[in-house]
Amino acid sequence: MNEPRKLTLTGGPLAYTATLDGQDISQGIRRLTIDVGVGDVPHVTAELAIHAIEVTELGVKAPHIVVSMPNEARAALIALGWTPPAGER
């Protein structure tokens, strides 16, 4: 089972700030969808605000590829539990 997280939405009616476990992720997300059912745990889906992804080193024999993304999206992913590769922390 996933570790519980605390999502806080403040502001409105047209602009909100979203914090996840105290870290502002507002600039890294485009949309949040919250599904709540009676007797169910709320389910939150976050659409990341990635405007461009740069992929380099796409050779057939290449051992890896490099993916670049905006810092705001990277911070949101880390807040959601993603661990960056060892050389990029």
Side-chain angles (χ1 to χ4, degrees):
M1 186 171 171
N2 294 336
E3 180 180 328
R5 304 283 188 157
K6 181 178 180 183
L7 176 67
T8 305
L9 300 174
T10 55
L14 299 175
Y16 292 88
T17 299
T19 57
L20 183 64
D21 294 336
Q23 182 175 344
D24 186 353
I25 61 170
S26 303
Q27 297 302 310
I29 56 175
R30 175 173 293 136
R31 176 182 301 132
L32 282 177
T33 304
I34 304 172
D35 294 314
V36 181
V38 176
D40 293 334
V41 175
H43 179 84
V44 178
T45 302
E47 180 182 330
L48 297 178
I50 299 177
H51 305 289
I53 297 177
E54 179 182 328
V55 179
T56 58
E57 299 181 32
L58 279 181
V60 174
K61 296 181 181 180
H64 66 280
I65 61 171
V66 176
V67 177
S68 301
M69 69 184 79
N71 288 334
E72 296 85 0
R74 185 178 190 280
L77 285 171
I78 291 170
L80 292 168
W82 175 64
T83 302
E88 300 179 20
R89 290 189 183 141

